Amino acid sequence: MGGGLQTSISGLSSSTTSVASSVFSFTYANGRRYHSDRFHKASYFMPNDEKEQDRLDLFHHLFLSLLGGRLCTAPLDNPHRVLDVGTGTGIWAIDFADEHPQAEVIGTDVSPIQPNWVPPNVQFEVEDMEEEWTYPDNYFDFIHMRSMSGSFIDWDRVIEQAYRKTAPGGYLEYQDYGCEMYLLDGTLLQGESEEHPISTYIHHVATAAEKHGRPLTVAPTIKARMERAGFVDCVARRAIWPVGPWPKDKQLKEIGKWGLLGALDSLLPFAIHLLTREGWLVKDIEELCDKVAKSYAKNYYYTYG
Ligand SMILES: C[S@@+](CC[C@H](N)C(=O)[O-])C[C@H]1O[C@@H](n2cnc3c(N)ncnc32)[C@H](O)[C@@H]1O
């Protein structure tokens, strides 16, 4: 999935990044593996095991499909220093490094789950990006962040740091998908609902994330935060992200098929950490996820990416 992984096989070099072994001291809960608790402040709610890595790579494919195969929309002009904040499996950073051999790409994450064999112009660093960023000011031509909902407490501080570390004329791009769900007639699902269990699910998971201090509904707030930090010419774009193969349009139908797979893969991991913290029993979470999965087969839902 994702052509970049294949093209990166040419010109490989071993990543030389060395990391303290404590970052490999992963924690475990409910049969899933999470990042090391060495990061006292960071408390990311999703696992980092192979199952999660497959999910991240599937979403990479979805984002690319939604952008017509592009890795970003910023009008970049020969970028030399690029940062991917919260790089996950590093798939975006690897693809970007392949497409821009002149660029030095750094991917950071609290989880050292990136491959060792990568293009020579990409490197991965284990960093908690809620801490002070260690790079020089005015350094990066392009900073990229994707799917970071639920990651940070103080989003303004993260975007302000991105502003300081961006070189004059450089760009920051944030991509995400909505935490909300709509019916085909444009109705936004809200609160508990017998008819649409996804509404109940989102209500509880989003509320728990909010209580956890790391909201899931950040995408619509990013443009204003960028402007407040000092970025100019900020643009927000929204595209329909179908969840199910219901669209008539061939390309959207394809996205909807992957969108459904991504939504199904996300149900339990999104809920399990946040809702067990709220006192839910695993069996009740599984039951809700099961209801949502069944309703996906019967209803036409979409969100925005
Ligand atoms: C949903 S994943 C997205 C991964 C990647 N950006 C992508 O789109 O494929 C969010 C990533 O952010 C990382 N993350 C969460 N909190 C972080 C923090 N405080 N500092 C650095 N990375 C963090 C997680 O470990 C995870 O890999």
Side-chain angles (χ1 to χ4, degrees):
M1 192 174 311
L5 267 186
Q6 281 157 19
T7 55
S8 72
I9 289 168
S10 63
L12 297 176
S13 81
S14 174
S15 165
T16 51
T17 315
S18 72
V19 286
S21 61
S22 62
V23 302
F24 289 101
S25 303
F26 299 132
T27 53
Y28 295 82
N30 300 308
R32 303 299 302 261
R33 193 186 75 188
Y34 293 84
H35 70 73
S36 158
D37 57 13
R38 165 199 144 148
F39 299 101
H40 303 298
K41 281 203 196 145
S43 167
Y44 182 54
F45 73 111
M46 291 293 277
N48 68 5
D49 49 25
E50 277 186 25
K51 222 166 153 184
E52 172 64 3
Q53 293 172 34
D54 287 347
R55 194 190 73 86
L56 292 179
D57 290 350
L58 164 62
F59 274 85
H60 177 70
H61 177 70
L62 263 163
F63 279 108
L64 284 193
S65 306
L66 223 65
L67 291 180
R70 288 177 302 163
L71 288 166
C72 62
T73 61
L76 301 177
D77 181 19
N78 198 21
H80 277 88
R81 290 177 179 146
V82 176
L83 176 67
D84 184 28
V85 175
T87 195
T89 62
I91 191 168
W92 183 94
I94 292 169
D95 278 5
F96 193 92
D98 267 336
E99 271 187 17
H100 300 83
Q102 83 292 350
E104 290 298 323
V105 183
I106 298 176
T108 61
D109 206 286
V110 284
S111 282
I113 54 169
Q114 302 75 34
N116 285 323
W117 291 89
V118 295
N121 57 330
V122 66
Q123 76 180 63
F124 296 115
E125 296 175 1
V126 181
E127 300 275 359
D128 175 358
M129 301 305 275
E130 293 207 281
E131 300 281 1
E132 193 66 26
W133 295 11
T134 50
Y135 312 102
D137 285 356
N138 304 321
Y139 189 74
F140 292 105
D141 301 313
F142 183 40
I143 299 182
H144 171 262
M145 298 194 223
R146 192 175 66 183
S147 285
M148 296 302 288
S149 306
S151 294
F152 301 129
I153 293 177
D154 190 346
W155 270 93
D156 279 337
R157 180 156 180 265
V158 170
I159 305 272
E160 279 157 19
Q161 296 214 67
Y163 179 73
R164 261 196 290 125
K165 305 299 170 187
T166 303
Y171 289 91
L172 167 65
E173 178 158 333
Y174 183 76
Q175 298 178 11
D176 214 337
Y177 50 87
C179 164
E180 70 285 349
M181 198 68 87
Y182 296 84
L183 298 177
L184 212 49
D185 66 3
T187 307
L188 170 65
L189 295 176
Q190 282 175 302
E192 302 217 24
S193 161
E194 274 295 317
E195 194 184 353
H196 299 291
I198 183 61
S199 190
T200 305
Y201 172 96
I202 291 174
H203 169 71
H204 288 291
V205 171
T207 307
E210 201 82 41
K211 268 177 136 175
H212 186 49
R214 293 178 164 79
L216 292 175
T217 46
V218 289
T221 71
I222 296 292
K223 181 169 176 260
R225 292 182 200 273
M226 285 182 178
E227 285 165 345
R228 275 204 298 278
F231 286 101
V232 293
D233 299 333
C234 302
V235 179
R237 296 191 186 88
R238 264 189 353 166
I240 286 204
W241 179 299
V243 181
W246 51 262
K248 291 205 171 69
D249 175 84
K250 211 172 143 204
Q251 198 194 345
L252 269 184
K253 183 184 271 307
E254 191 62 20
I255 295 172
K257 278 185 202 166
W258 289 108
L260 177 58
L261 203 59
L264 291 171
D265 275 0
S266 305
L267 276 177
L268 198 55
F270 255 80
I272 197 114
H273 180 73
L274 292 169
L275 294 188
T276 49
R277 281 173 67 110
E278 291 302 301
W280 283 55
L281 297 177
V282 172
K283 75 170 179 45
D284 294 335
I285 301 170
E286 285 173 345
E287 196 177 300
L288 176 58
C289 292
D290 206 41
K291 279 190 195 160
V292 177
K294 286 191 178 117
S295 80
Y296 276 150
K298 288 191 288 194
N299 293 288
Y300 291 175
Y301 295 122
Y302 71 91
T303 183
Y304 286 101

